[in-house]
Amino acid sequence: MIIDGKKVAFLILEELKEKVKKFDKKPGLAVILANDDPSSRIYVASKEKHSLNLGYKSCVYRFDNSITQGKLTELIHELNENPDINGILVQLPLYSHLNESEIIELIDPRKDVDGFHPFNIGKLYAGFNPYAVCCTPKGIVKLLKAYNIKIEGKNALVIGRSNIVGKPVASLLSNENATVTLAHSKTQNLKEYTKNADIIVSATGKAKLITSSMVKKGAVVIDVGIIKQDNGRLVGDVDFEKVKDVASYITPVPGGVGPMTIACLMENTFELFLLHNKR
Ligand code: GUN
C-alpha cells in the first residue's frame, strides 16, 4: 500500500486553519535563509507559502554570503524578544563560514520550532516533552499512526544519523517502544540489517540505495531521501517501483514524507503560539 503523505498533511493543515481562525492574534514564524543551496530556497519559499495560507505572520530573512556570525546573532536575539514571533527556523546548512551549532543554541528553546536546540533534543532523547519535536521525525511517526502501523515491539532500522532526521527519528521510535538500530554510511553489510527490519526509515540522499532484495516481505518502508536527477525528476533512497511489491506500506517521493515535514512545521508553530499565549 502506498502511504499518501500529501493527504495526511492536507488534513493536518485543514484542521490547523480552522483552529487559527479562532484567534485574533496570528501565529508568527521567522525563517532565516543563509546559504546558497537551491533546494533550501525552494523549501523556504514553501514554508512561507504555507504560513501565509494558514493566516500566519511570516518573516523570511534571506542573506548573501556577506552575512556575519555577529549580525545573525543580533537577529536571533531580536527575534527571541519579538512578541509577534512564536517560531524561529534557521534553514540548514548555513554558509560554511558560520558556526551552525552556536547559532542554533542562541534560539530561545521556547521558540525553537524545528526542535533542534540541545535543550529540546535532550528532552526528546530523555522521553520528556520538548517544546517542539523535529518536523520530519514527527511527520514520520504521524504517518505510521495515520495508517495504524504498529511500532511497539517492531524492529525499526533508521539509515542516516543526521541531527535533522536520523538521530531524532531513532529517539522517537524508541520512545514508541520499537527496537531501534541506527545505521549510517560506515555500516558494514547494510543488507543484514535491512533484511531483519519491520520498519525501514532511509534518510541518506543516495538514490536507489534500498533495493527489493534488501527488504523483508511485508516491511514498512519510509523514504526520506529527495534527490533531483539530471532529468529534473525527484527520486528517493528507495527503488520505489520494485520495493513497492515487497513492502506492505511504502512512502513515495515526492508525496510521502516531504508534505508531512511542512505540516508538522506549521503545527509546531501553532503549538508554540499557544504556549506563548497561555494565560
Ligand atoms: N535543512 C534540511 N531540512 C531541514 C529542516 O527540516 N529544517 C531546517 N531548519 N533546515 C533543514
Side-chain angles (χ1 to χ4, degrees), residues 139-182:
I140 290 169
V141 171
K142 270 183 185 281
L143 268 187
L144 294 173
K145 290 187 173 174
Y147 280 80
N148 291 316
I149 294 166
K150 195 171 169 220
I151 304 173
E152 183 167 307
K154 297 295 178 187
N155 287 338
L157 173 70
V158 177
I159 313 171
R161 55 180 158 176
S162 71
N163 290 336
I164 296 178
V165 183
K167 282 191 265 184
V169 83
S171 285
L172 266 186
L173 291 169
S174 169
N175 293 347
E176 294 286 338
N177 299 315
T179 304
V180 180
T181 304
L182 183 55

Side-chain angles (χ1 to χ4, degrees), residues 40 43 47 89-93 114 116 135-136 164-165 261:
S40 286
Y43 295 146
K47 288 167 186 178
L89 182 149
V90 177
Q91 186 67 29
L92 301 178
D114 253 334
F116 288 170
C135 305
T136 303
I164 296 178
V165 183
T261 299

Side-chain angles (χ1 to χ4, degrees), residues 209-226:
L209 173 75
I210 309 297
T211 58
S212 58
S213 69
M214 294 169 78
V215 176
K216 182 166 84 174
K217 181 107 190 114
V220 175
V221 180
I222 306 293
D223 192 348
V224 190
I226 306 183

Side-chain angles (χ1 to χ4, degrees), residues 202-210 223 225-227 235-239:
S202 187
T204 70
K206 290 198 184 89
K208 295 197 178 174
L209 173 75
I210 309 297
D223 192 348
I226 306 183
I227 305 119
V235 296
D237 288 359
V238 177
D239 185 357

